Amino acid sequence: VAYFTQQIERSPNAYAYVARSRAWLMEEEDSKRALADAEAALRLDPMFALAWLSRGECRLASGRYSDAVSNLRHVVALDPQLFSARLELAIARRYAEDLDGAIADCTAGLKLWPSDRILLKDRAIFSFYRGERHESENHPDLAEQDYTRAIEDMGAAIAELAATGRFRDARNYTRSSCPRLLGGFYAYRGSIRASACRYEAAIADCNEAIRLRPDEVLAYASRGVALFEQGKQPEAIRDF
C-alpha cells in the first residue's frame, strides 16, 4: 500500500490506483478503501477493465453480490480474455444464488481455457449445489445429472493437475505443492460422491486425499459419512 501511495502522489494514474486497490483488498482486507481507489481509477479511465474488476471484487468482498455480478459482467464485455474476471463472475453469481449463471460462466471460461482445473473444480462445485437444490425440490433425475457432471468435472480437474503439477490461480499459472493441492481435489470429489450415495467410490477418493494430504478435514468428514451410511459406525466415528 505504501509503495503505490508514493506512486499516486508522484503521478496519479489509473494503474497505480488499481494496484493500491488490490493491495487494500488482498493485504489489508479493507474493501472500503479498495473501492475508493477502484472508483478513482475509473474516473481517470472509465474503460479500464482492471479497474472494473477491482470494483467488482470489492462488491463481492462486501457482500453486494448483485452489484458484483453487474461490475464483473462489464469486465468480461471489455476484456473477454481476462481469466480472473470469468472466475470472479462465476463466484459472484453463485453467491447471488444464480447457480445456472455460475455454471454457464465456468462453461464459457472453459471454451477459452480448455481443461483449466480451477474452472472445472468450480463448475463441479456449482453443479453439486444445483443437484442438492434439485433433490430438495424432488427432481431426482435432474439431481443425478448434476451430481454426475460434478464428478466428471472433478475427475477431469484431478487428471489435469496430476499430469501438469500446476494450477491457475486468479492471475496466472503458479507452481504449487502438487500433492497437497491434488489431495484437496480428491477430497472435493469424495465429498460429492458421498452426497450422491456413491459410497465405495467416495471412500476410495477420501483415502487418496488423506494419503496425499493427511490433514484434509473434508476427506475425513466425507469418508465418515460414507462409512456411516454403509453401516460401519465404529469406523465412521473414528473419522468424525
Side-chain angles (χ1 to χ4, degrees), residues 43-211:
R43 285 193 293 271
L44 293 169
D45 185 354
M47 300 299 289
F48 190 21
L50 290 178
W52 282 102
L53 174 61
S54 187
R55 193 172 191 266
E57 289 174 335
C58 292
R59 296 301 192 192
L60 183 59
S62 60
R64 296 180 60 175
Y65 303 128
S66 295
D67 289 342
V69 169
S70 177
N71 289 166
L72 293 164
R73 286 181 66 184
H74 193 61
V75 181
V76 171
L78 289 171
D79 186 354
Q81 297 287 333
L82 191 56
F83 176 82
S84 52
R86 297 275 182 180
L87 186 63
E88 297 284 0
L89 177 56
I91 293 169
R93 285 194 198 272
R94 176 261 184 274
Y95 283 113
E97 299 186 2
D98 179 11
L99 289 171
D100 292 343
I103 292 166
D105 286 329
C106 290
T107 301
L110 285 163
K111 290 179 181 178
L112 295 170
W113 300 281
S115 302
D116 185 276
R117 73 278 302 151
I118 297 300
L119 287 170
L120 285 166
K121 174 183 72 69
D122 283 356
R123 189 172 70 174
I125 292 169
F126 301 149
S127 296
F128 169 67
Y129 289 151
R130 190 172 67 177
E132 287 190 316
R133 186 185 69 194
H134 283 143
E135 196 165 15
S136 70
E137 294 170 349
N138 200 27
H139 297 300
D141 291 343
L142 293 176
E144 181 62 22
Q145 289 175 19
D146 279 332
Y147 291 148
T148 298
R149 181 182 194 177
I151 292 167
E152 289 174 351
D153 277 348
M154 281 308 308
I158 288 168
E160 184 69 11
L161 179 59
T164 63
R166 62 183 183 176
F167 77 104
R168 185 193 293 272
D169 68 7
R171 291 157 195 82
N172 51 33
Y173 274 114
T174 306
R175 283 287 170 185
S176 173
S177 173
C178 186
R180 287 188 59 78
L181 186 64
L182 191 58
F185 277 35
Y186 272 109
Y188 274 122
R189 190 172 67 175
S191 175
I192 294 168
R193 281 176 158 166
S195 296
C197 304
R198 303 178 188 188
Y199 300 127
E200 286 297 334
I203 291 168
D205 275 343
C206 292
N207 287 343
E208 183 64 9
I210 292 166
R211 184 185 72 80

Side-chain angles (χ1 to χ4, degrees), residues 212-235:
L212 293 165
R213 190 171 183 168
D215 59 349
E216 178 54 67
V217 175
L218 179 60
Y220 287 104
S222 300
R223 188 174 69 179
V225 169
L227 289 167
F228 185 86
E229 293 296 334
Q230 287 185 326
K232 301 174 181 176
Q233 282 81 7
E235 295 94 325

